[in-house]
């Protein structure tokens, strides 16, 4: 009898544990927002832009899919009231990241990524895109925010033409960043030649690095930079403020960071979202710093090659053109079956990073060049989840806001 009672007791305990696990799992799914519609992913569907009748807004909906620093999507669009085929791109000064990007360099690179996606989409959809950069002149750097509000980054004029199947167009709809593991295969010589030959301006170039000595050297810069960044409280706080911990927040804000940005998807994504929503400290302070360093170390240890985009100077024009080249690099890499992840912490310009910034430029940028982007590149083990995107209509500048 004692044996039977003992077995019954064990069964009851195991049953209770099972019920508790089911309740916990269900609670995490509910808190995460498992059953909510993912509105923040709608712009990734080709049908989203196809439903837009104004060609300018339709192309802007493609530009919205481009990479941007901190996924801030810092773009504003003004439609020309007298020409239905003309619009202007403005930098959205409300989306600056002053702690991590005090001189707004990455911010301006992000303007270029948008423009290149617009250009690629234009050819596919039957529009030649004439892009005039800074048509009203350079920003006043002493009044930068005001300049961003009043001076466009670019004016885009469309001309109807026969649509051409652009070889890069299908890849607009893939995630620009893949933080997952890469195979150890080095890039083939023809791949290196194709990627390094993407530049349209001799003053802005791509350099692929995959020899062991330089890979080790760059990995050291990147790892040290992650340690520095993890220790700078304002920078980490700036990132924490734009972290979206569950589906409700992602639908509300539709920009910034989320758990799938680290390559987590499926059920595990919802479990992590539920945990972070319940325990926000999991993504703040020392825990977030350690996770950031560990993630960076994992990335550099799974890197067959690095790529750098370098410009002859660090003007706003060069920053935007570097962003355009970066988008070409991303899309061309996709076409070649490769994936890219930015690892540009050593290029950031806040005081704590100054030593590493100087060191990496001394090693890899000659005669006053600026390294605008540093990324890892290789054959991904698996695809990357799509990240948050805003509704394109949020980018439009209304007449009443002027």
């Amino acid at each position: 009898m004692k044996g039977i009672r003992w077995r019954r007791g064990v069964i009851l305990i195991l049953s209770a544990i099972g019920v508790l696990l089911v309740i916990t799992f269900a609670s995490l799914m509910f808190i995460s927002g498992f059953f909510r519609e993912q509105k923040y992913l709608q712009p990734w569907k080709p049908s989203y832009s196809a439903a837009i009748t104004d060609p300018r807004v339709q192309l802007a909906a493609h530009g919205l899919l481009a990479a941007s620093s901190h996924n801030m999507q810092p773009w504003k669009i003004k439609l020309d009231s007298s020409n239905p085929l003309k619009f202007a791109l403005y930098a959205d000064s409300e989306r600056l990241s002053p702690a991590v990007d005090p001189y707004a360099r990455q911010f301006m690179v992000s303007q270029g990524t948008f423009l290149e996606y617009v250009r690629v989409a234009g050819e596919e959809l039957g529009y030649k895109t004439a892009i005039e950069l800074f048509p009203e002149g350079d920003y006043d750097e002493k009044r930068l925010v005001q300049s961003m509000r009043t001076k466009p980054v670019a004016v885009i004029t469309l001309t109807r033409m026969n649509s051409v199947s652009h070889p890069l167009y299908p890849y607009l709809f893939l995630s620009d960043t893949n933080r997952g593991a890469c195979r150890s295969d080095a890039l083939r010589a023809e791949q290196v030649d194709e990627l390094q030959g993407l530049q349209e301006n001799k003053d802005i170039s791509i350099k692929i690095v995959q020899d062991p000595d330089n890979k080790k050297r760059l990995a050291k810069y990147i790892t040290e930079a992650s340690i520095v960044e993890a220790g700078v409280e304002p920078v980490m706080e700036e990132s924490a403020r734009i972290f979206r911990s569950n589906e409700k927040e992602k639908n509300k804000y539709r920009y910034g960071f989320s758990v799938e940005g680290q390559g987590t998807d499926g059920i595990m994504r919802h479990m992590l979202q539920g945990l972070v929503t319940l325990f926000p400290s999991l993504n703040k302070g020392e825990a977030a710093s350690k996770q950031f360093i560990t993630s960076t170390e994992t990335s550099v240890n799974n890197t067959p090659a690095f790529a750098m985009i370098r410009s002859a100077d660090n003007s706003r024009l060069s920053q935007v053109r570097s962003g355009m080249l970066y988008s070409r690099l991303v899309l061309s890499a996709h076409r070649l079956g490769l994936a890219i992840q930015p690892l540009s912490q050593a290029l950031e310009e806040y005081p704590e990073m100054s030593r590493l910034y100087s060191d990496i430029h001394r090693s890899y940028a000659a005669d006053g060049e600026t390294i605008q982007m540093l990324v890892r590149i290789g054959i991904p083990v698996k695809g990357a989840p799509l990240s948050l995107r805003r509704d394109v209509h949020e980018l439009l500048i209304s007449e009443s806001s002027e």
Side-chain angles (χ1 to χ4, degrees):
M1 292 295 292
K2 288 183 178 179
I4 294 173
R5 286 198 296 270
W6 181 84
R7 285 195 295 272
R8 286 177 177 173
V10 170
I11 291 171
L12 285 172
I13 291 171
L14 292 176
S15 298
I17 291 172
V19 169
L20 181 61
L21 289 174
V22 170
I23 292 172
T24 300
F25 176 79
S27 298
L28 290 176
M29 295 299 103
F30 178 78
I31 293 167
S32 170
F34 181 81
F35 296 104
R36 286 182 181 269
E37 180 186 2
Q38 296 173 320
K39 295 179 180 179
Y40 57 86
L41 292 183
Q42 289 173 350
W44 288 102
K45 299 176 181 178
S47 58
Y48 174 83
S49 55
I52 299 171
T53 56
D54 189 314
R56 300 167 296 180
V57 182
Q58 187 179 44
L59 294 187
H62 288 81
L64 184 69
L65 304 179
S68 62
S69 177
H70 277 52
N71 193 25
M72 292 298 286
Q73 304 165 48
W75 308 301
K76 300 291 279 186
I77 297 298
K78 183 178 181 181
L79 305 180
D80 191 300
S81 58
S82 59
N83 185 343
L85 294 178
K86 187 175 182 180
F87 64 108
L89 169 67
Y90 287 79
D92 187 350
S93 60
E94 294 183 3
R95 294 176 179 272
L96 290 163
S97 303
V100 74
D101 188 25
Y103 301 116
R105 181 188 60 79
Q106 297 177 12
F107 180 85
M108 295 308 298
V109 170
S110 300
Q111 306 305 310
T113 61
F114 179 96
L115 289 170
E116 188 63 21
Y117 271 44
V118 166
R119 179 155 65 177
V120 169
E123 289 190 26
E124 177 77 19
L125 301 180
Y127 295 96
K128 180 179 179 181
T129 54
I131 299 173
E132 183 182 2
L133 297 177
F134 296 103
E136 297 181 16
D138 295 334
Y139 290 149
D140 179 351
E141 295 294 332
K142 294 181 179 179
R143 302 175 67 247
L144 184 58
V145 170
Q146 181 61 25
S147 281
M148 288 177 175
R149 291 173 179 168
T150 57
K151 291 187 175 184
V153 174
V155 168
I156 304 97
T157 305
L158 309 179
T159 303
R160 289 188 177 88
M161 65 177 194
N162 293 328
S163 61
V164 178
S165 181
H166 198 293
L168 299 181
Y169 181 77
Y171 305 101
L172 296 176
F173 302 97
L174 297 181
S175 177
D176 53 86
T177 299
N178 189 327
R179 293 180 173 83
C182 288
R183 285 165 41 180
S184 59
D185 310 52
L187 273 63
R188 301 190 306 273
E190 59 269 26
Q191 291 176 322
V192 172
D193 290 344
E194 180 171 339
L195 295 177
Q196 290 187 158
L198 290 172
Q199 62 256 31
E200 295 181 351
N201 186 313
K202 63 182 178 62
D203 293 330
I204 302 173
S205 62
I206 296 173
K207 176 67 175 176
I208 307 291
V209 174
Q210 55 182 352
D211 65 280
D213 288 343
N214 278 304
K215 279 175 57 180
K216 184 177 180 180
R217 194 176 196 180
L218 285 169
K220 186 172 184 292
Y221 281 132
I222 292 166
T223 302
E224 288 184 5
S226 73
I227 295 170
V228 169
E229 180 157 310
V232 181
E233 190 172 338
V235 171
M236 296 303 288
E237 287 180 349
E238 193 170 72
S239 296
R241 283 195 295 272
I242 57 171
F243 181 80
R244 316 306 178 196
S245 60
N246 54 55
E247 299 301 300
K248 180 179 179 180
E249 288 191 357
K250 290 193 286 185
N251 277 333
K252 179 178 180 180
Y253 296 106
R254 299 176 64 159
Y255 68 93
F257 299 134
S258 57
V259 297
E260 58 262 52
Q262 300 301 321
T264 305
D265 206 3
I267 293 297
M268 184 57 68
R269 168 169 65 90
H270 286 287
M271 292 184 69
L272 284 174
Q273 287 184 167
L275 287 169
V276 172
T277 301
L278 284 173
F279 307 104
S281 60
L282 292 174
N283 194 55
K284 294 181 181 179
E286 186 176 354
S289 297
K290 287 182 178 179
Q291 170 60 28
F292 174 62
I293 294 169
T294 300
S295 175
T296 303
E297 289 175 342
T298 300
S299 293
V300 298
N301 290 333
N302 288 275
T303 298
F306 292 105
M308 286 178 281
I309 291 181
R310 300 179 295 194
S311 60
D313 59 35
N314 198 24
S315 66
R316 298 300 184 189
L317 183 63
S318 290
Q319 291 166 5
V320 175
R321 285 178 172 162
S322 295
M324 297 178 76
L325 180 56
Y326 180 62
S327 277
R328 289 199 293 280
L329 174 64
V330 169
L331 297 173
S332 298
H334 282 323
R335 191 179 64 81
L336 295 172
L338 304 170
I340 282 178
Q341 176 191 356
L343 292 167
S344 295
Q345 284 76 23
L347 310 180
E348 293 167 350
E349 296 142 308
Y350 49 89
E352 294 86 349
M353 198 64 76
S354 59
R355 180 186 64 81
L356 282 170
Y357 180 93
S358 297
D359 287 351
I360 195 171
H361 277 81
R362 192 178 302 114
S363 298
Y364 292 100
D367 302 322
E369 287 182 327
T370 297
I371 307 172
Q372 300 288 355
M373 294 294 297
L374 172 61
V375 304
R376 65 191 280 260
I377 183 169
I379 302 172
V381 172
K382 63 178 183 178
L386 300 172
S387 53
L388 318 180
R389 284 302 184 271
R390 301 162 66 198
D391 188 308
V392 69
H393 297 94
E394 293 180 15
L395 275 57
L396 298 179
I397 298 175
S398 64
E399 296 292 334
S400 61
S401 67
E402 296 182 42

